[in-house]
């Protein structure tokens, strides 16, 4: 029996692998390509075993050239295939930024709708694993700035399992940012779980006193902060953005209009960040519903350190989130 039929407890990594397996099984046009995805099983073991199951035509190891294999993926998508391109870490995606921005994201518009690029790019983002600056940054907010693509940040086992198929059905490019610290996280996949929405945010915890708005690898830390706040009589709502482009502005405003206070938690740098964009949308759409200025908790504006105590100090944690929530509660009218 399949995972979808039974409902089991599995890791985020296993959920991603099951999503890949399902996609490869359902559609002969789907193939996976990237560095070490085949014989090595993926640098984070997500594609482990798929080469033996589907063969080298469907699971393709590539040379170490992000620009080349992302470009090949764009060409394959234009030719009618449904490629899934894996880029080892988000930092390395910058080597393919020309292909993503100047080709994949623009061809539909520059062709007057005649050309579509049904390409899915998967990459690992985020810190917390002592991999230093060149493997640890959270750059998904940069990609959320680009029209012509969708930007997904699955933070739960169900989203890791269900977002990929929906992304593959999209006629235009979709980027999936998988937080490296989530791969070992376990969760329950409910019976009958299947494709999930890739346009809307999700309330992970209902509350009335303050909205904690986040995405990706920060979701577990925000949920921990909400529990700590609850122990002190504060009822926090946790909104998981899930999709950074298009942002679900309606869900953000609905939450803020209920709680009248907001803290945005973003692992990216504060300047020019997703947290800045969310704050601006709250100001534009719910200013008169606010009882306090919007709070933000972001990473320190430094290249991510290697040393564990410095990396921990640079990242948002439950203590900083709780402090920010208490500040907006104290400063309210």
């Amino acid at each position: 029996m399949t995972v979808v039929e039974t409902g089991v407890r599995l890791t985020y990594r296993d959920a991603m692998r099951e999503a890949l397996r399902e996609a490869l099984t359902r559609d002969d046009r789907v193939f996976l390509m990237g560095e070490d995805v085949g014989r090595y099983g993926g640098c984070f073991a997500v594609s482990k075993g798929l080469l033996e199951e589907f063969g080298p035509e469907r699971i393709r190891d590539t040379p170490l050239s992000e620009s080349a294999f992302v470009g090949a993926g764009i060409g394959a998508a234009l030719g009618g295939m449904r490629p899934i391109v894996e880029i080892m870490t988000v930092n390395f995606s910058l080597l393919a930024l020309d292909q993503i921005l100047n080709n994949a994201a623009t061809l539909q518009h520059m062709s007057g709708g005649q050309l579509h690029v049904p390409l899915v790019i998967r990459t690992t983002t985020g810190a917390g694993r002592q991999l230093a600056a060149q493997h640890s940054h959270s750059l998904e907010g940069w990609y959320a700035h680009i029209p012509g693509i969708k930007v997904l940040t699955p933070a739960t086992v169900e989203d890791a399992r269900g977002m990929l198929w929906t992304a593959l059905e999209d006629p235009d490019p979709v980027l999936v940012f998988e937080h490296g610290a989530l791969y070992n996280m376990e969760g329950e996949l409910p019976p009958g779980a299947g494709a999930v929405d890739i346009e809307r945010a999700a309330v992970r915890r209902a509350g009335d006193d303050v909205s904690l708005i986040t995405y990706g690898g920060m979701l577990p830390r925000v949920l921990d902060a909400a529990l700590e706040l609850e122990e002190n009589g504060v009822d926090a709502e946790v909104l998981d953005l899930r999709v950074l482009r298009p942002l679900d502005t309606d869900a953000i405003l609905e939450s803020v209009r209920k709680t009248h206070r907001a803290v945005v938690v973003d692992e990216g740098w504060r300047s020019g960040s997703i947290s800045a964009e969310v704050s601006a949308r709250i100001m534009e759409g719910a200013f008169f519903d606010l009882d306090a200025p919007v709070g933000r908790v972001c990473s320190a504006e430094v290249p991510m350190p290697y040393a564990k105590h410095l990396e921990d100090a640079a990242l948002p944690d439950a203590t900083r989130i709780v402090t920010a929530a208490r500040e907006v509660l104290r400063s309210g009218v």
Side-chain angles (χ1 to χ4, degrees):
M1 299 180 72
T2 68
V3 169
V4 176
E5 289 173 344
T6 61
V8 296
R9 189 167 184 83
L10 73 169
T11 66
Y12 183 99
R13 174 186 290 106
D14 292 337
M16 290 301 312
R17 187 183 302 114
E18 287 300 323
L20 288 168
R21 178 176 286 115
E22 181 196 31
L24 289 158
T25 301
R26 290 177 66 173
D27 191 337
D28 290 340
R29 298 173 299 171
V30 173
F31 67 95
L32 174 69
M33 65 188 299
E35 298 164 354
D36 292 326
V37 299
R39 291 178 62 189
Y40 190 69
C43 288
F44 299 95
V46 172
S47 57
K48 187 175 181 180
L50 295 183
L51 174 63
E52 293 78 9
E53 189 172 347
F54 294 98
E57 292 295 312
R58 310 286 303 283
I59 310 295
R60 291 175 170 256
D61 283 318
T62 67
L64 303 182
S65 177
E66 284 77 9
S67 180
F69 65 74
V70 171
I74 293 169
L78 287 168
M81 302 296 285
R82 292 294 184 269
I84 303 169
V85 174
E86 178 178 311
I87 300 176
M88 189 184 301
T89 75
V90 67
N91 294 72
F92 302 158
S93 73
L94 301 182
L95 298 168
L97 187 55
D98 175 54
Q99 295 283 12
I100 296 168
L101 172 58
N102 287 326
N103 290 313
T106 61
L107 286 173
Q108 177 197 358
H109 302 271
M110 294 180 70
S111 68
Q114 296 178 80
L115 298 175
H116 291 272
V117 184
L119 168 72
V120 173
I121 297 175
R122 297 175 42 248
T123 190
T124 302
T125 188
R129 297 161 292 138
Q130 281 192 271
L131 295 178
Q134 292 180 338
H135 299 75
S136 301
H137 289 145
S138 296
L139 306 181
E140 50 275 1
W142 292 11
Y143 289 96
H145 181 66
I146 302 172
I149 61 176
K150 285 189 174 69
V151 176
L152 314 184
T153 56
T156 66
V157 165
E158 186 170 3
D159 278 357
R161 174 64 180 77
M163 280 187 168
L164 181 63
W165 182 253
T166 315
L168 284 165
E169 292 185 312
D170 197 290
D172 298 306
V174 179
L175 275 63
V176 183
F177 292 87
E178 304 162 16
H179 199 287
L182 296 179
Y183 281 128
N184 290 328
M185 177 188 73
E186 291 189 352
E188 189 76 25
L189 191 67
V196 300
D197 175 72
I198 59 170
E199 292 189 350
R200 293 176 178 82
V203 175
R204 302 299 184 188
R205 184 186 191 278
D208 295 316
D209 295 334
V210 60
S211 298
L212 304 180
I213 302 168
T214 193
Y215 68 89
M218 288 294 102
L219 179 61
R221 299 187 182 202
V222 170
L223 289 169
D224 288 343
L227 288 174
E228 185 174 338
L229 287 165
E230 183 180 34
E231 292 172 359
N232 291 276
V234 176
D235 188 19
E237 178 155 296
V238 176
L239 181 69
D240 176 7
L241 293 173
R242 301 175 69 242
V243 185
L244 303 188
R245 187 174 190 99
L247 270 177
D248 187 354
T249 305
D250 289 343
I252 295 168
L253 299 182
E254 182 180 351
S255 180
V256 171
R257 286 169 180 153
K258 181 172 71 166
T259 66
H260 307 290
R261 295 172 176 86
V263 174
V264 188
V265 182
D266 175 6
E267 192 174 328
W269 296 302
R270 183 183 180 95
S271 300
S273 62
I274 281 294
S275 69
E277 178 64 30
V278 172
S279 298
R281 295 197 187 195
I282 292 171
M283 294 296 185
E284 292 168 349
F287 179 80
F288 292 105
D289 295 284
L290 287 171
D291 286 344
V294 175
R296 288 194 283 162
V297 183
C298 301
S299 289
E301 301 215 0
V302 297
M304 192 57 61
Y306 167 75
K308 186 178 190 308
H309 68 290
L310 293 176
E311 184 181 44
D312 289 344
L315 290 168
D317 59 16
T319 299
R320 291 176 60 194
I321 297 164
V322 167
T323 299
R326 288 173 175 162
E327 285 177 357
V328 302
L329 288 163
R330 280 198 301 268
S331 64
V333 295

